[in-house]
Amino acid sequence: MANRMTSFKQKLTRKNIFNSIFIALLLLVLFVPSAKALMLQGLMEIGLFKPSLTSKTSTTTTDLAAIKFKTAKGEIVSLADLQGKVIFLNFWATWCPPCLAEIPSVNKLYEQYKNDPEVVFLLVDADSDFPKAQAYMDRKKYKLPVYNFASNLPESIFKGSLPTTIVFDKKGRVSFNGEGAANYSSPKFITFINQLKELKN
């Protein structure tokens, strides 16, 4: 009888330890952005959160001259200045777990095209806090170019949801507009960028 009681107590103790660990991990994922981002990254690695490329290219050209961003040095960049290039535009924030989850895949994509004059990357910090955004990039050893808002944006481009990624073709048409985290270093998305590069101006 004593052996049974000891065995029961041991099982109960193991169960309590397991439950405590599970609850601690759950709380960590819920309240620590980097932990949640890490979990989402893992889900991306196994094939979830692929960007949907089913939408067609917009037939209307956006007024790119009205969309402006600025660098940490205060230089203003109008998207009209980048016409004739494929523009990868990503809105993110350091407090946003889905943003942090997709940044490694954005960085991989950037590394593939950083020396390609036909593809431009703009990562827009939604908090407009250059020091905080740059500190994150430096800590992770990413070379992604960080920008802040320098104009109002049309709601057709950015509704305020983070993360949001927009890709413009060489004619300034929206070819991709995705909200939520996605794996942008997937072969399918790379093929999509390459197809946009091949389009004539």
Side-chain angles (χ1 to χ4, degrees):
M1 182 72 177
N3 286 343
R4 282 185 184 175
M5 198 65 173
T6 302
S7 176
F8 175 74
K9 284 181 180 178
Q10 286 174 341
K11 285 180 182 176
L12 190 60
T13 302
R14 280 196 297 264
K15 186 176 179 183
N16 286 340
I17 290 170
F18 175 79
N19 286 343
S20 297
I21 290 170
F22 178 76
I23 290 168
L25 288 173
L26 187 62
L27 290 172
L28 192 67
V29 166
L30 287 174
F31 296 108
V32 179
S34 57
K36 188 172 184 178
L38 195 59
M39 183 189 75
L40 291 171
Q41 273 179 315
L43 294 173
M44 283 181 194
E45 290 297 321
I46 60 170
L48 298 178
F49 299 103
K50 294 178 183 174
S52 172
L53 301 172
T54 54
S55 60
K56 300 291 181 193
T57 300
S58 170
T59 53
T60 57
T61 304
T62 307
D63 179 14
L64 298 182
I67 303 173
K68 297 177 183 176
F69 303 100
K70 65 181 174 182
T71 67
K73 294 178 180 176
E75 298 162 348
I76 303 296
V77 175
S78 164
L79 291 191
D81 300 335
L82 304 174
Q83 199 153 358
K85 301 176 187 290
V86 175
I87 303 169
F88 182 96
L89 178 61
N90 178 274
F91 299 94
W92 71 292
T94 56
W95 51 262
C96 164
C99 302
L100 302 185
E102 75 176 7
I103 287 279
S105 73
V106 173
N107 188 62
K108 282 182 190 173
L109 187 70
Y110 171 74
E111 287 296 327
Q112 182 160 344
Y113 292 102
K114 67 181 179 183
N115 296 319
D116 189 327
E118 293 186 279
V119 184
V120 178
F121 285 76
L122 292 92
L123 272 83
V124 181
D125 174 30
D127 288 334
S128 294
D129 187 343
F130 276 122
K132 189 175 180 183
Q134 196 57 58
Y136 172 79
M137 292 295 182
D138 293 343
R139 192 169 64 251
K140 294 293 185 177
K141 296 182 171 48
Y142 298 148
K143 302 295 181 194
L144 294 161
V146 178
Y147 293 80
N148 281 344
F149 297 100
S151 70
N152 291 325
L153 297 181
E155 199 171 290
S156 59
I157 299 297
F158 180 56
K159 297 180 179 72
S161 178
L162 294 177
T164 293
T165 298
I166 294 111
V167 178
F168 294 92
D169 69 11
K170 292 180 175 182
K171 293 183 178 179
R173 298 173 301 188
V174 174
S175 297
F176 174 81
N177 189 336
E179 294 180 357
N183 179 5
Y184 291 108
S185 62
S186 68
K188 191 173 179 182
F189 197 80
I190 290 168
T191 299
F192 167 69
I193 296 292
N194 288 336
Q195 287 170 344
L196 292 181
K197 279 179 57 182
E198 291 167 10
L199 292 175
K200 301 296 181 190
N201 290 345

